[in-house]
Amino acid sequence: MPRCAVLGSPIAHSLSPVMHRTAYEVLGLHDWSYEAFDVDEDGIGTFLAGLDEQWRGLSLTMPLKRAVLPYLDTVEASARGVGGVNTVIVDIEGRHGFNTDVPGGIAALRERGVEAVEDAVVIGAGATAEAMIASLRHLGLRRATLAVRDLDRGMELARRLEKGSEDAAPVAVEVTGIGPDLPRSTQVVVSTVPAAAIATYAPRLATRCDAVFDVIYDPWPTPLARAAQAEAVPVASGLDLLAHQAAAQVRLMTGREVSASLLRDAALGALAGH
């Protein structure tokens, strides 16, 4: 029986099992299994060492996206560029790291009509923010404002972005705190922080932009999403990202295609049942 799983800590909230199991059912992969395991940074090496020939792939959530890197045999270029892996493929040649958040972010934006981006405001400076900036770079990003709660962390990310990487050109970055100095105009606003952290500034952020991407999906809509909807600004959600990146994971793990909309519907059904 081919085995796959999602790892992280905490993991009970993960929607990955319902999405991947839905994919297996639709694809007729009735002998495939997908489980959830609570694994933290100290346990990831031991877990990987215990994998046998049944295993095909792993989805990784926090805090493992960077912690897993020393245990992998290969890491794809885009995952190296953002310094994080959310997918591990297991085969006879070893363990291989990928990041499907990056193509997932691109697909989620394109689904909302965003095909090109030169200027963006990105709120947050963690692994998710870096992956979303990588998505924007594939759409042409040249300038970004990082609005952060931790200025030191923001400056560290800005330095990496301004250097560029093997698969992305440098980006001109300005770092600011989350507050009244947030830019009044940009093409895309991306938020990777808890909804309450920017609730006060949501109307300002949504007033003069072409699209909003809020990676939160529960509860929904967030204050930022509501403000964007009030302005008739297209909104991509964390659930859109989750579904697109999961569809990419299914393709990597099984070699088969499944639609992101199908996985999104499965996740919505699970959320409604909570």
Side-chain angles (χ1 to χ4, degrees):
M1 177 182 288
R3 299 182 68 184
C4 297
V6 59
L7 314 182
S9 186
I11 200 61
H13 68 286
S14 176
L15 293 171
S16 291
V18 70
M19 290 192 295
H20 284 256
R21 290 169 187 167
T22 296
Y24 298 165
E25 180 179 353
V26 169
L27 294 172
L29 302 176
H30 303 302
D31 57 338
W32 284 62
S33 71
Y34 191 98
E35 303 161 87
F37 293 95
D38 196 301
V39 178
D40 61 15
E41 293 161 293
D42 294 331
I44 184 60
T46 300
F47 190 95
L48 290 173
L51 299 180
D52 61 22
E53 67 277 2
Q54 288 183 303
W55 285 90
R56 299 293 184 270
L58 302 170
S59 308
L60 303 182
T61 186
M62 300 305 293
L64 302 178
K65 293 183 179 183
R66 289 179 174 155
V68 74
L69 291 171
Y71 304 101
L72 301 177
D73 297 296
T74 65
V75 179
E76 66 157 349
S78 65
R80 285 198 303 271
V82 299
V85 160
N86 78 331
T87 309
V88 176
I89 299 303
V90 183
D91 61 24
I92 60 173
E93 295 179 352
R95 310 180 192 105
H96 313 285
F98 298 83
N99 192 307
T100 65
D101 284 333
V102 177
I106 296 168
L109 285 165
R110 285 179 169 160
E111 190 175 36
R112 299 294 178 245
V114 179
E115 295 290 344
V117 178
E118 290 192 5
D119 181 82
V121 171
V122 179
I123 305 166
T128 302
E130 192 157 1
M132 293 306 94
I133 291 170
S135 300
L136 293 169
R137 290 168 96 170
H138 282 281
L139 296 175
L141 185 70
R142 295 183 178 181
R143 301 174 301 278
T145 298
L146 292 181
V148 297
R149 293 173 289 181
D150 183 334
L151 289 176
D152 289 338
R153 195 176 186 188
M155 292 301 298
E156 181 181 341
L157 175 54
R159 284 192 288 270
R160 290 199 296 274
L161 296 174
E162 288 173 338
K163 286 174 59 178
S165 66
E166 59 187 288
D167 67 339
V171 176
V173 182
E174 179 182 350
V175 179
T176 185
I178 298 174
D181 293 331
L182 287 168
R184 289 186 176 274
S185 179
T186 189
Q187 284 180 279
V188 176
V189 173
V190 178
S191 177
T192 69
V193 300
I198 58 167
T200 301
Y201 309 104
R204 174 195 182 112
L205 286 164
T207 298
R208 295 179 63 187
C209 66
D210 298 328
V212 161
F213 195 160
D214 195 329
V215 303
I216 300 297
Y217 60 83
D218 188 27
W220 186 265
T222 63
L224 178 59
R226 282 197 301 270
Q229 290 165 351
E231 298 290 334
V233 171
V235 181
S237 74
L239 203 59
D240 299 325
L241 171 62
L242 197 63
H244 282 287
Q245 67 82 25
Q249 287 184 334
V250 170
R251 182 169 59 253
L252 285 169
M253 294 177 187
T254 72
R256 305 281 293 278
E257 296 282 345
V258 68
S259 75
S261 60
L262 177 77
L263 305 188
R264 182 168 45 216
D265 287 346
L268 282 169
L271 287 172
H274 284 178

